[in-house]
Amino acid sequence: MGSFKQDLKETYFGLREAAEEKWSDFVQFMHEAWPLLTLLLVILMGIWWYADPPPPRHVMMATGSPGGSFEDLGKKYAEFFKEKGVTLELVATEGAQENINRLVDRNDSVQAAFVETGVAHAKDLIGVQSLGAISYDPIWFFYRGPEVKSSDFEAVGGRLKYFMSKTISVGVKGSGTYAQAVKILKASGFEGGVQVRNLSGKEAVKALQAGEIDGAFIVDAFEAPNVQALLNDPSMHLTTFKRAEAYAKLIPYFHILNVPQGSFNLARNFPSVDMKLLSTTTNILIDDRMHPAIQFLFLEAARSINGKGSFFAERGEFPSFKDSITKESPVAVHYEKNRYPLLSAYFPFWLAELISRLLFVLLPFCVLAYPILQTLPGYRAKRMQNKINRLYGSLKEFEQGLLANYNPAKQDEYLKQLDLLEYQALNIKLSKRLSSDYYSLRSNIDYVRGCLNRGFHQPIQVGGKINLDL
């Protein structure tokens, strides 16, 4: 038994020899199989870039009129996207209807938009999908002057008793405010007895405070500057929808929001009684060609920004499919059930996407490539064996020629032919598994050479046995 040092040395040399053998086999394998591997790599890259292209780094989103709550919300989304390495460009518009029109236009660069439910019944829109609702948008009706009893807002003879000779703002045509105000007035039978003006939210606040109009519909979030400006103005009053349940039955996408007494301002005890507000919801609509990774990013932004809870919404209530304006995106449906892919919790957005895409293409690629690669060792062994067999065939043909037409005067020419065969054998690159066949070939070449030198000829011996079929 050798010493520990000797055993260690022998182990090292054994491992080194095995490693060198494996490396030699690998180099030879690459030399022989590189065309096939190159083809498989091209297929892989084609699948990667065309079947699953990388997500864009720049996305355009339509918000709404400047100064509105959608603009502020869009800025929060843009900041979230920036942290993930994606630029979200916000595009100001005249309102929800323009947002929808730009999404429907397949040549427009806008890929996402905030749109209030009820602006358009868009179930049949082509190329537009919904990522779900992200927030409540209460329908506020502010008015100035003396406070009016809620019963005075009820319709009498199809006319609005208190405001039949007044002027109110119903929002800019095409906006979410206009859509909801018109629906409420029409359902109540008021549309023919009220003088209306089409003012934006900011313009309506100024006109109402200046006494230019008597009331204004505003559809916006509780935190919106326009809403807060009127809630904090003691001279303004807010209407409660006494028949909110009836409106919700007639207009199914309406939600009822309860406002407890004093919840807007305890010091003022505003409102002075429990109130009910009607509300719609805001959806994120997208171009259905949007990359799934960007859709997931929008949903993550909605969960992070809108899912925190607010004055009217519970924590985790949004995003949801409360009121889908149009067909839900399959990505959003998946997200609602499974949330964001697990990788995003442990890796940055771009790295998680890269890994996901690699998995997407590698799995089918492995299904295709594995059986091919499995056949390569046998293919290589067969090729090597064929090289040896071809030389055996040449040797056999040479020997048969000697047996039939041997000419002593051509002895040197015969030997040169054998030298050429041996040279060809020396230049064959084989794995060690075929060493026995390789050296048998060389031994048989040498055997025939010896026969020539002795001046007589016998059948070739292969592996110690007579083989007449070589």
Side-chain angles (χ1 to χ4, degrees):
M1 184 175 180
S3 65
F4 174 76
K5 184 176 181 180
Q6 184 65 28
D7 292 341
L8 188 62
K9 186 176 181 181
E10 291 178 357
T11 301
Y12 166 74
F13 281 115
L15 291 174
R16 180 179 174 181
E17 183 179 357
E20 289 176 350
E21 180 182 349
K22 292 294 184 183
W23 176 252
S24 178
D25 285 346
F26 174 75
V27 170
Q28 187 173 346
F29 167 76
M30 293 300 295
H31 178 74
E32 296 178 350
W34 70 265
L36 181 58
L37 293 175
T38 302
L39 176 61
L40 291 175
L41 181 61
V42 170
I43 294 173
L44 172 63
M45 295 303 295
I47 295 173
W48 195 9
W49 286 100
Y50 293 100
D52 185 32
R57 293 180 176 270
H58 181 270
V59 182
M60 295 179 67
M61 182 179 196
T63 54
S65 58
S69 62
F70 285 168
E71 183 180 51
D72 292 337
L73 181 60
K75 290 178 180 178
K76 295 178 182 179
Y77 274 65
E79 189 62 32
F80 183 91
F81 271 61
K82 184 179 179 180
E83 293 175 358
K84 305 297 182 180
V86 181
T87 299
L88 181 63
E89 181 182 346
L90 304 179
V91 181
T93 64
E94 291 299 320
Q97 196 60 56
E98 181 183 344
N99 291 359
I100 291 177
N101 294 339
R102 297 194 65 167
L103 283 176
V104 172
D105 184 355
R106 305 299 272 182
N107 296 318
D108 200 299
S109 299
V110 169
Q111 283 193 288
F114 295 124
V115 178
E116 290 171 0
T117 308
V119 172
H121 291 291
K123 291 291 183 183
D124 298 326
L125 288 179
I126 298 175
V128 179
Q129 293 179 340
S130 173
L131 295 182
I134 59 169
S135 65
Y136 289 118
D137 283 311
I139 301 171
W140 313 85
F141 183 77
F142 291 96
Y143 64 97
R144 65 183 182 87
E147 187 172 4
V148 181
K149 296 179 180 179
S150 61
S151 60
D152 289 338
F153 286 99
E154 297 175 10
V156 177
R159 294 290 182 269
L160 182 61
K161 182 166 60 176
Y162 183 76
F163 284 101
M164 60 183 306
S165 60
K166 308 288 184 178
T167 302
I168 64 174
S169 170
V170 294
V172 177
K173 289 184 178 180
S175 67
T177 296
Y178 180 82
Q180 313 311 333
V182 169
K183 281 184 173 63
I184 289 175
L185 291 175
K186 185 176 181 180
S188 306
F190 299 158
E191 73 273 20
V194 182
Q195 299 179 31
V196 300
R197 291 183 61 182
N198 301 113
L199 305 176
S200 68
K202 191 173 184 179
E203 293 171 340
V205 171
K206 291 182 178 180
L208 192 58
Q209 291 178 329
E212 298 173 4
I213 58 176
D214 301 291
F217 280 100
I218 295 179
V219 180
D220 216 336
F222 169 76
E223 300 83 4
N226 292 331
V227 173
Q228 286 297 313
L230 295 177
L231 287 177
N232 293 319
D233 187 339
S235 65
M236 297 296 157
H237 303 290
L238 179 63
T239 298
T240 180
F241 288 88
K242 180 180 178 182
R243 298 177 295 177
E245 286 82 0
Y247 284 107
K249 287 291 185 182
L250 294 172
I251 308 174
Y253 64 82
F254 274 177
H255 297 269
I256 301 173
L257 303 179
N258 294 306
V259 182
Q261 178 181 349
S263 57
F264 289 150
N265 191 315
L266 275 174
R268 287 172 50 201
N269 192 35
F270 177 58
S272 57
V273 295
D274 293 345
M275 298 184 66
K276 291 182 179 180
L277 296 180
L278 292 174
S279 173
T280 182
T281 53
T282 293
N283 278 238
I284 297 180
L285 298 189
I286 61 165
D287 186 323
D288 62 3
R289 298 169 296 180
M290 178 183 284
H291 194 285
I294 301 299
Q295 295 186 45
F296 273 121
L297 205 54
F298 268 110
L299 291 163
E300 273 292 279
R303 186 169 70 90
S304 175
I305 297 168
N306 301 101
K308 293 180 178 179
S310 61
F311 188 88
F312 291 112
E314 298 291 334
R315 182 179 181 86
E317 189 172 352
F318 294 105
S320 72
F321 291 125
K322 287 182 179 296
D323 305 293
S324 293
I325 295 178
T326 185
K327 180 181 178 181
E328 294 90 355
S329 162
V331 175
V333 175
H334 171 83
Y335 181 89
E336 187 177 42
K337 296 178 180 178
N338 305 293
R339 291 302 180 189
Y340 201 66
L342 183 63
L343 289 173
S344 67
Y346 301 97
F347 299 101
F349 172 73
W350 284 106
L351 182 56
E353 263 309 300
L354 178 62
I355 296 173
S356 296
R357 291 174 61 229
L358 283 173
L359 291 176
F360 173 80
V361 296
L362 280 177
L363 289 178
F365 173 74
C366 289
V367 172
L368 172 67
Y370 179 73
I372 297 176
L373 295 176
Q374 279 287 87
T375 62
L376 286 180
Y379 166 75
R380 291 178 60 228
K382 188 174 181 180
R383 283 193 62 198
M384 295 174 188
Q385 189 66 58
N386 285 340
K387 291 179 181 179
I388 296 175
N389 291 341
R390 281 195 297 269
L391 290 178
Y392 264 122
S394 298
L395 183 59
K396 177 182 177 182
E397 183 179 353
F398 174 77
E399 186 198 28
Q400 293 296 325
L402 289 179
L403 291 172
N405 302 301
Y406 176 70
N407 185 351
K410 295 183 177 181
Q411 180 77 2
D412 290 341
E413 184 180 340
Y414 295 148
L415 290 173
K416 287 181 180 179
Q417 291 182 41
L418 285 175
D419 289 342
L420 179 60
L421 279 175
E422 188 168 24
Y423 176 77
Q424 292 174 349
L426 286 170
N427 282 278
I428 297 176
K429 294 181 179 180
L430 302 170
S431 66
K432 290 186 177 181
R433 291 190 296 272
L434 294 175
S435 296
S436 176
D437 293 339
Y438 170 72
Y439 283 107
S440 292
L441 171 63
R442 291 187 59 189
S443 296
N444 283 305
I445 293 173
D446 193 56
Y447 173 76
V448 174
R449 185 186 287 113
C451 290
L452 275 172
N453 290 330
R454 291 194 298 272
F456 65 92
H457 319 289
Q458 295 180 9
I460 300 171
Q461 294 185 8
V462 181
K465 296 181 179 180
I466 300 298
N467 190 339
L468 299 177
D469 298 325
L470 293 173

